[in-house]
Short mmCIF file of all heavy atoms in Angstrom, two decimals:
data_model
loop_
_atom_site.label_atom_id
_atom_site.label_comp_id
_atom_site.label_asym_id
_atom_site.label_seq_id
_atom_site.Cartn_x
_atom_site.Cartn_y
_atom_site.Cartn_z
N PHE G 939 -10.90 37.77 -13.75
CA PHE G 939 -12.01 38.70 -14.13
C PHE G 939 -11.45 40.11 -13.83
O PHE G 939 -11.43 40.50 -12.71
CB PHE G 939 -13.28 38.45 -13.38
CG PHE G 939 -14.38 39.50 -13.56
CD1 PHE G 939 -15.35 39.43 -14.55
CD2 PHE G 939 -14.39 40.60 -12.76
CE1 PHE G 939 -16.28 40.42 -14.72
CE2 PHE G 939 -15.36 41.52 -12.88
CZ PHE G 939 -16.30 41.48 -13.79
N ASP G 941 -12.26 43.00 -16.13
CA ASP G 941 -12.97 44.04 -16.88
C ASP G 941 -14.34 43.65 -17.09
O ASP G 941 -14.69 42.86 -17.95
CB ASP G 941 -12.30 44.26 -18.17
CG ASP G 941 -12.86 45.53 -18.94
OD1 ASP G 941 -14.00 45.98 -18.59
OD2 ASP G 941 -12.24 46.08 -19.84
N GLY G 942 -15.31 44.20 -16.24
CA GLY G 942 -16.73 43.87 -16.34
C GLY G 942 -17.30 44.19 -17.63
O GLY G 942 -18.18 43.43 -18.14
N ILE G 943 -16.95 45.32 -18.17
CA ILE G 943 -17.51 45.71 -19.47
C ILE G 943 -17.16 44.73 -20.59
O ILE G 943 -17.99 44.33 -21.38
CB ILE G 943 -17.05 47.19 -19.86
CG1 ILE G 943 -17.69 48.14 -18.82
CG2 ILE G 943 -17.41 47.49 -21.27
CD1 ILE G 943 -17.16 49.60 -19.09
N ALA G 944 -15.91 44.29 -20.61
CA ALA G 944 -15.56 43.34 -21.61
C ALA G 944 -16.27 41.99 -21.47
O ALA G 944 -16.61 41.36 -22.47
CB ALA G 944 -14.01 43.12 -21.51
N SER G 945 -16.52 41.58 -20.17
CA SER G 945 -17.18 40.33 -19.97
C SER G 945 -18.68 40.48 -20.41
O SER G 945 -19.25 39.58 -21.07
CB SER G 945 -17.17 39.95 -18.53
OG SER G 945 -15.83 39.66 -18.16
N VAL G 946 -19.35 41.58 -20.12
CA VAL G 946 -20.73 41.82 -20.50
C VAL G 946 -20.89 41.84 -21.99
O VAL G 946 -21.86 41.37 -22.59
CB VAL G 946 -21.28 43.00 -19.81
CG1 VAL G 946 -22.64 43.41 -20.33
CG2 VAL G 946 -21.37 42.87 -18.31
N ARG G 947 -19.88 42.37 -22.66
CA ARG G 947 -19.93 42.47 -24.18
C ARG G 947 -20.00 41.12 -24.77
O ARG G 947 -20.36 41.00 -25.95
CB ARG G 947 -18.76 43.31 -24.66
CG ARG G 947 -18.99 44.78 -24.47
CD ARG G 947 -17.68 45.47 -24.88
NE ARG G 947 -17.82 46.91 -24.73
CZ ARG G 947 -16.82 47.84 -24.82
NH1 ARG G 947 -15.62 47.39 -24.97
NH2 ARG G 947 -17.01 49.16 -24.71
N GLN G 948 -19.59 40.07 -24.00
CA GLN G 948 -19.64 38.67 -24.63
C GLN G 948 -21.02 38.14 -24.65
O GLN G 948 -21.22 37.17 -25.32
CB GLN G 948 -18.65 37.82 -23.79
CG GLN G 948 -17.23 38.20 -23.68
CD GLN G 948 -16.51 38.03 -24.96
OE1 GLN G 948 -16.27 39.00 -25.63
NE2 GLN G 948 -16.19 36.84 -25.32
N LEU G 949 -21.89 38.75 -23.89
CA LEU G 949 -23.27 38.21 -23.80
C LEU G 949 -24.10 38.77 -24.91
O LEU G 949 -24.03 39.89 -25.33
CB LEU G 949 -23.93 38.63 -22.48
CG LEU G 949 -23.26 38.04 -21.21
CD1 LEU G 949 -23.91 38.68 -20.01
CD2 LEU G 949 -23.37 36.54 -21.18
N PRO G 950 -25.11 37.91 -25.42
CA PRO G 950 -26.05 38.41 -26.39
C PRO G 950 -26.95 39.48 -25.72
O PRO G 950 -27.17 39.42 -24.49
CB PRO G 950 -26.90 37.16 -26.78
CG PRO G 950 -25.99 35.99 -26.33
CD PRO G 950 -25.18 36.45 -25.25
N THR G 954 -28.42 39.91 -21.77
CA THR G 954 -28.10 41.06 -20.88
C THR G 954 -29.35 41.72 -20.36
O THR G 954 -29.54 42.05 -19.26
CB THR G 954 -27.29 42.10 -21.65
OG1 THR G 954 -26.05 41.49 -22.21
CG2 THR G 954 -26.97 43.32 -20.86
N ALA G 1021 -26.01 41.09 -10.99
CA ALA G 1021 -25.89 41.39 -12.32
C ALA G 1021 -25.83 42.81 -12.69
O ALA G 1021 -25.27 43.25 -13.68
CB ALA G 1021 -27.09 40.76 -13.17
N ILE G 1024 -21.78 43.91 -11.96
CA ILE G 1024 -20.66 43.41 -12.75
C ILE G 1024 -20.11 44.40 -13.85
O ILE G 1024 -18.89 44.51 -13.92
CB ILE G 1024 -21.07 42.10 -13.33
CG1 ILE G 1024 -21.20 40.98 -12.18
CG2 ILE G 1024 -20.08 41.59 -14.35
CD1 ILE G 1024 -21.56 39.59 -12.67
N PRO G 1025 -20.92 45.07 -14.58
CA PRO G 1025 -20.31 45.94 -15.62
C PRO G 1025 -19.37 46.97 -14.99
O PRO G 1025 -18.45 47.39 -15.67
CB PRO G 1025 -21.58 46.56 -16.20
CG PRO G 1025 -22.69 45.58 -16.01
CD PRO G 1025 -22.46 45.00 -14.64
N ALA G 1026 -19.75 47.45 -13.82
CA ALA G 1026 -18.99 48.55 -13.13
C ALA G 1026 -17.69 48.00 -12.49
O ALA G 1026 -16.86 48.77 -12.07
CB ALA G 1026 -19.79 49.35 -12.22
N LEU G 1050 -15.43 33.99 -20.69
CA LEU G 1050 -16.06 34.77 -19.56
C LEU G 1050 -15.11 35.88 -19.12
O LEU G 1050 -15.69 36.95 -18.68
CB LEU G 1050 -16.18 33.78 -18.42
CG LEU G 1050 -17.21 32.58 -18.65
CD1 LEU G 1050 -17.22 31.65 -17.42
CD2 LEU G 1050 -18.60 33.18 -18.82
N PRO G 1052 -12.50 37.75 -21.05
CA PRO G 1052 -11.92 37.87 -22.36
C PRO G 1052 -10.39 38.15 -22.21
O PRO G 1052 -9.93 39.08 -21.61
CB PRO G 1052 -12.64 39.05 -23.05
CG PRO G 1052 -13.94 39.11 -22.28
CD PRO G 1052 -13.71 38.65 -20.88
#
Side-chain angles (χ1 to χ4, degrees):
F939 170 92
D941 188 343
I943 292 177
S945 293
V946 170
R947 284 174 177 165
Q948 301 292 104
L949 296 174
T954 302
I1024 287 178
L1050 296 175

